[in-house]
Structures are given as C-alpha cells and as structure tokens.
Amino acid sequence: MNPPLSRTNAEAHLYMDLHACSCGSTRFPRHSSVVALADGDLASRYTGACEGCGEEREFVFRLPATPTDAGGGFRYGGDEPSQLLDPGEWLLVADAYAASVPAESTGAAAQRARAALTRAVAALDEVVKFAPDGEEIPGEAFVSDRGRQLHQREPGRFRRDRLAAVGGTYAELLNQLR
C-alpha cells in the first residue's frame, strides 16, 4: 500500500469531505492516529463509522518529510501540486467556498465569510500550482471525473490570467471584510 501524500491536515480533511461513503454521506467522526508505513515513512490514519449507514471508513495519507509551513496564512499545501485533488476539483472547492459568502456580512456572519473566502483563495492557489512555469495546465493533470468534466465544460476558467483575476477579486473582498 502506497498511500497518497497529504501536505496538510486541511488537505486531508477536504479530501475526505469530497469522497462520500457508498451511501452518499460524507460525515463520520474522524479518529486520527499517526502510523508507520512498511517503508518507514509516517502516515495519518483517519477512521470512523459513516453517520449515514454505519459502515466503517478509513483513509490513510502519507505525511510529508517536512511539515508545510503556513507562512502567515491558511494554505492547503506547499509549493508542489496536490496529489489528492486535481486542478478541477480545487476550482470546484474555490467556487463552493466563494458561493457560501453572503453579499452582506456582519458579526459572526462576517467571520464565517472571511473563513470561506480565505479557503477560496487558498484553493485557487492550488489550481495555479498545476501550471508549470506559468503555462497552461496540461490536460493530463485532470484525473478525477469532476475535474475532467469541469475542464471540458469551461477550459477558459483554467487560464492563468483568469485565475489571477478571480483570486484578486476574492482577496479584495476578503480585505473589505477585515
């Protein structure tokens, strides 16, 4: 067994949230532990019973050799592209977080809006990591059904200039909420 690399806990939890049980539920109480793999590397193991059907769920993610430094802000990973999610999935995540932000936010709603926009910006940053040297994201980077479908429907959304414009808009909205 060669589990995929999860660069951060946030990335691992997002992956689990996106991968539903066979019953369709994504919710399960996550008990985590660090385990040693056969090759000596360490991994995070998450287990728990599905809240929808009671089936036992388990996810194992290889841990990075050196932890990812958040560098003063929320990040899903380091400089390298994700091994868990493809660029289409990351863009869908950014869309979902941005769509959850109400037009007007005050008090606790503003705090939730800031958290959602922070995650939307971080997810967009992940999309860009799949574009080598500022070039177009190669088609083979889209490995999930969701990611391939989004790329086929809207390939222009994966242009670097468009991603930068959307990211800039999210960052501007985030600054207005501070």
Side-chain angles (χ1 to χ4, degrees):
M1 176 175 99
N2 190 19
L5 174 71
S6 173
R7 301 162 299 161
T8 63
N9 287 336
E11 183 181 37
H13 282 278
L14 178 61
Y15 179 87
M16 291 183 283
D17 290 343
L18 294 175
H19 290 82
C21 177
S22 58
C23 75
S25 176
T26 58
R27 299 184 55 84
F28 69 100
R30 297 170 184 172
H31 307 285
S32 65
S33 59
V34 175
V35 297
L37 300 172
D39 63 6
D41 283 351
L42 296 177
S44 287
R45 179 176 177 256
Y46 297 90
T47 59
C50 173
E51 288 185 2
C53 67
E55 184 176 323
E56 247 337 279
R57 302 198 69 205
E58 177 185 53
F59 292 88
V60 179
F61 303 103
R62 183 176 296 275
L63 293 172
T66 32
T68 300
D69 179 22
F74 180 84
R75 294 179 63 179
Y76 284 107
D79 295 334
E80 70 287 343
S82 174
Q83 293 180 20
L84 295 179
L85 303 175
D86 72 15
E89 290 174 301
W90 282 114
L91 190 53
L92 289 168
V93 167
D95 289 349
Y97 276 123
S100 73
V101 176
E104 298 286 327
S105 300
T106 59
Q111 186 176 357
R112 286 190 301 276
R114 280 191 298 276
L117 279 172
T118 297
R119 282 163 176 69
V121 169
L124 277 176
D125 289 344
E126 292 299 324
V127 176
V128 174
K129 293 175 187 177
F130 287 89
D133 301 323
E135 297 173 19
E136 185 176 323
I137 297 172
E140 59 269 10
F142 299 89
V143 296
S144 71
D145 288 339
R146 289 182 281 226
R148 279 193 299 270
Q149 289 169 4
L150 180 60
H151 184 248
Q152 288 170 352
R153 273 192 323 269
E154 302 179 73
R157 293 193 66 200
F158 293 92
R159 288 193 338 253
R160 236 183 190 324
D161 60 337
R162 187 157 172 194
L163 291 166
V166 172
T169 300
Y170 291 171
E172 184 178 315
L173 290 170
L174 186 57
N175 284 334
Q176 291 173 6
L177 288 169
R178 293 182 193 259

